[in-house]
Amino acid sequence: MKSREARRVETSAKKLAQTYYQDKRWKIVREEKLRLNPVCEQCEAAGRTRSAEEVHHMIPFMSAKSAMYRDRLAFDIDNLESLCIECHKQQHHS
């Protein structure tokens, strides 16, 4: 069972992450990534063709220790991967 403090920290982190996903910069970079890579990059590497519907951070931006590095990871198109829904789910459950 998590302590009250652990739950508070986890909730704060989730709220902070959501502020990034609501940011206009994220919406712009996400659309640009899908425009540049409309096919799931993992499926393509495996010889399949599926439309990419989601964008994945290869290095999680919330892992950054500083706000400046967190911003860099969150909005850096080179840290993003275009994925289908299935591959994105696999990334988060592996």
Side-chain angles (χ1 to χ4, degrees):
M1 189 182 264
K2 292 182 184 177
S3 71
R4 178 183 285 163
E5 179 63 16
R7 287 192 306 270
R8 187 191 65 74
V9 169
E10 187 176 285
T11 299
S12 294
K14 285 181 182 179
K15 285 180 182 178
L16 178 60
Q18 285 306 308
T19 64
Y20 280 87
Y21 292 120
Q22 299 304 316
D23 191 296
K24 184 178 181 179
R25 293 173 293 173
W26 167 248
K27 293 174 183 181
I28 291 169
V29 76
R30 180 187 183 283
E31 288 303 315
E32 180 66 7
K33 182 63 178 175
L34 289 172
R35 187 186 68 74
L36 292 170
N37 297 92
V39 174
C40 175
E41 294 178 56
Q42 289 186 6
C43 285
E44 189 173 37
R48 299 183 307 265
T49 303
R50 279 195 192 137
S51 294
E53 299 175 51
E54 300 189 1
V55 176
H56 174 70
H57 288 91
M58 293 180 286
I59 301 171
F61 64 91
M62 290 302 292
S63 67
K65 302 291 185 213
S66 73
M68 186 172 72
Y69 188 49
R70 189 179 309 118
D71 282 358
R72 187 171 141 237
L73 288 174
F75 305 121
D76 181 0
I77 200 163
D78 294 326
N79 185 39
L80 302 177
E81 187 174 30
S82 296
L83 298 177
C84 66
I85 293 170
E86 185 178 316
C87 286
H88 197 200
K89 284 180 184 177
Q90 288 176 0
Q91 281 296 313
H92 287 281
H93 294 299
S94 56

